Amino acid sequence: MSGGSERSRALAARAQRVIPGGVNSPVRAFRSVGGEPLFLARAAGSSVWDVDGNRYLDYLGSWGPMLLGHARPEILAAIQAAAVDGVSFGVSTEREVRFAELLTRIVPGLERVRLVNSGTEACMSAVRVARGATGRDRIIKIAGGYHGHADALLVRAGSGAETLGIPDSAGVPAGAARDTLVVPYNDLAAVEALFERHGPTIAAMIVEPVPGNMGTVAPLPGYLEGLRRITAAQGALLIFDEVMSGFRVALGGAQQRYGVSADLVCLGKVIGGGLPVGAYGGRAALMDLVAPSGAVYQAGTLSGNPLGVAAGLAMLELLEREDPYAQLERYAAALAEGLTAIARELGLPLCVNRVGSMLTPFFWAGPVTDLASAQRSDVARFAAFHRGMRQRGVLLPPSQFEAAFVSAAHSDEDLQQTLEAARETLRTL
Ligand code: KE4
């Protein structure tokens, strides 16, 4: 690392004058970890370089999309090849049909899928379908669950909202939040109690089957099955927000990993290969409620955009061909075990939660099974850990309430470098 940060600092000063907080998404401000702002110039494989020429081993992975590492030549080539034929038509293309056929073949329970431009759009649309399908208004979400920034879902939200301590955003009218009920994750009794009281008015429960936005949390045995049983018994829909877990915790996502079927699935991140692509889908009877075949309206100028779909097709074809999941599991397990062993040697309370290639080190003994237990982490220590790792050339997500992501491009040398940096950093805490 050249160590300098002059250009990043200068860009941050300019950005502040023309962009709120100097960033186009709050978590990029690194506020909760107190570090210098960071401006990246390029990325390749498991590395990113900032505008001052400093190289970092990347565990942010663009918040999830970079499952195969940055700048995979096959994905870049697919984008370039699509671009020369025109970048957006506003009319359908063959590529979109092929992409939808691939998604419906891979993701369990997906008979129809609608493409959108972000995870936010996917989740807000799925909620609208559930409300349209049931004629009910209320939804249940998890405290610390993050499903993008649609009004009804910015209630006790995770990710940046939790990071910045504004889980209930200003500007969300009481009317929009009134129908959103909140329960802790991993607590079936709380869900049952809500259905006892409000059952016939609840359209759906939306849940990250493997939360990443309170930090990584694993479903307790029987939890997801319980949600499936309770919602079905009450005539409510179960929506799996797999924007982060989809294609991450298994090729078929959490539905495949845990063998639990949702009624609607929301996707994003990985399926765009780094370009803006989201999707939502489910069985035909539900999705045919969506305009123009049904009365639930949803639309988008750039939905199914040729470049995003080209990148997504290339990504999913690579995933099917390379099947990186065993390798991702091995690396992430070794990383989690390495961090745990170092903390134990140093007598430092550390609880590393991991599901597949998403993981989070919580700075307390744990266990961390929901937002309340995640919030018991020493976030000041996390911030110091983040800064120390960054100084040693390892970039972690800049928040205790986020997931770190391993890619198929991370090598054994990367693992050694990461654990050495962790050992030096944890020793300073
Ligand atoms: P987007 O609208 O940001 O594409 O997706 C929203 C979303 C929905 N559901 C889940 C489970 C998600 O994790 C997200 C977005 N995740 C955050 C980070 N955890 C995006 C990063 C950011 O906000 O800058």
Side-chain angles (χ1 to χ4, degrees):
M1 283 178 57
S2 73
S5 57
E6 293 71 25
R7 285 177 52 76
S8 263
R9 269 206 213 102
L11 281 169
R14 284 170 52 194
Q16 294 280 352
R17 288 197 288 274
V18 287
I19 307 171
V23 289
N24 283 311
S25 199
V27 282
R28 302 178 192 176
F30 284 42
R31 288 219 176 142
S32 73
V33 294
E36 295 273 308
L38 188 62
F39 283 74
L40 295 187
R42 72 180 184 92
S46 59
S47 293
V48 295
W49 285 262
D50 69 17
V51 291
D52 294 287
N54 302 306
R55 172 183 174 268
Y56 304 89
L57 255 183
D58 181 32
Y59 289 99
L60 216 166
S62 179
W63 302 98
M66 296 302 144
L67 186 67
L68 293 176
H70 289 282
R72 271 296 293 256
E74 300 88 339
I75 296 176
L76 301 186
I79 295 168
Q80 287 159 345
V84 295
D85 290 336
V87 295
S88 183
F89 310 141
V91 178
S92 298
T93 62
E94 181 205 346
R95 208 182 264 114
E96 288 162 74
V97 180
R98 283 181 29 229
F99 192 48
E101 287 168 343
L102 191 53
L103 283 168
T104 53
R105 178 162 57 77
I106 295 176
V107 180
L110 226 57
E111 290 180 342
R112 301 265 201 286
V113 64
R114 169 60 66 85
L115 298 179
V116 292
N117 299 283
S118 67
T120 292
E121 280 187 85
C123 293
M124 67 189 262
S125 306
V127 165
R128 188 177 307 135
V129 169
R131 286 171 160 163
T134 59
R136 303 175 179 182
D137 293 343
R138 287 200 167 104
I139 57 170
I140 301 175
K141 74 175 286 291
I142 300 291
Y146 181 72
H147 310 288
H149 61 88
D151 279 355
L153 293 167
L154 268 185
V155 177
R156 295 306 321 278
S159 184
E162 181 62 32
T163 302
L164 300 175
I166 46 173
D168 303 305
S169 170
V172 173
R178 185 182 51 233
D179 290 323
T180 303
L181 308 172
V182 181
V183 291
Y185 185 67
N186 273 329
D187 180 344
L188 286 175
V191 178
E192 279 171 331
L194 277 187
F195 274 105
E196 287 302 307
R197 272 187 64 199
H198 306 291
T201 67
I202 297 174
M205 178 167 182
I206 183 166
V207 61
E208 295 174 65
V210 179
N213 291 292
M214 54 183 94
T216 305
V217 176
L220 292 174
Y223 178 67
L224 297 177
E225 296 83 346
L227 295 185
R228 178 62 287 175
R229 175 176 44 77
I230 296 166
T231 48
Q234 296 280 346
L237 298 183
L238 181 59
I239 303 174
F240 271 8
D241 173 356
E242 295 225 50
V243 167
M244 188 183 285
S245 59
F247 295 92
R248 165 76 50 188
V249 300
L251 185 66
Q255 289 191 106
Q256 175 189 323
R257 190 178 182 108
Y258 296 100
V260 175
S261 302
D263 295 300
L264 290 168
V265 180
C266 307
L267 297 165
K269 295 181 189 280
V270 170
I271 67 166
L275 270 64
V277 180
Y280 67 101
R283 60 181 175 280
L286 278 179
M287 289 301 289
D288 286 345
L289 291 171
V290 179
S293 51
V296 177
Y297 194 72
Q298 178 268 310
T301 304
L302 298 176
S303 295
N305 173 269
L307 301 195
V309 171
L313 269 172
M315 171 62 107
L316 299 195
E317 284 159 2
L318 281 169
L319 286 180
E320 279 208 298
R321 192 160 68 240
E322 297 183 355
D323 184 5
Y325 295 96
Q327 177 197 336
L328 288 164
E329 195 77 23
R330 266 195 313 277
Y331 186 107
L335 177 57
E337 284 149 22
L339 293 173
T340 303
I342 294 166
R344 192 183 306 118
E345 280 168 39
L346 297 172
L348 196 73
L350 189 77
C351 169
V352 183
N353 277 5
R354 177 183 74 82
V355 177
S357 55
M358 53 192 277
L359 67 160
T360 301
F362 290 95
F363 281 78
W364 80 290
V368 177
T369 57
D370 61 7
L371 179 62
S373 45
Q375 288 171 328
R376 293 182 59 182
S377 175
D378 181 335
V379 290
R381 241 180 193 174
F382 175 88
F385 182 60
H386 186 278
R387 290 195 300 273
M389 291 294 272
R390 178 177 161 179
Q391 283 154 13
R392 294 174 175 83
V394 178
L395 182 61
L396 299 172
S399 160
Q400 174 64 86
F401 306 108
E402 290 288 359
F405 299 104
V406 172
S407 85
H410 282 78
S411 67
D412 290 346
E413 294 75 29
D414 295 339
L415 179 62
Q416 293 323 311
Q417 179 188 335
T418 306
L419 291 176
E420 273 154 36
R423 180 182 299 284
E424 289 169 24
T425 305
L426 290 173
R427 200 177 280 133
T428 67
L429 299 191

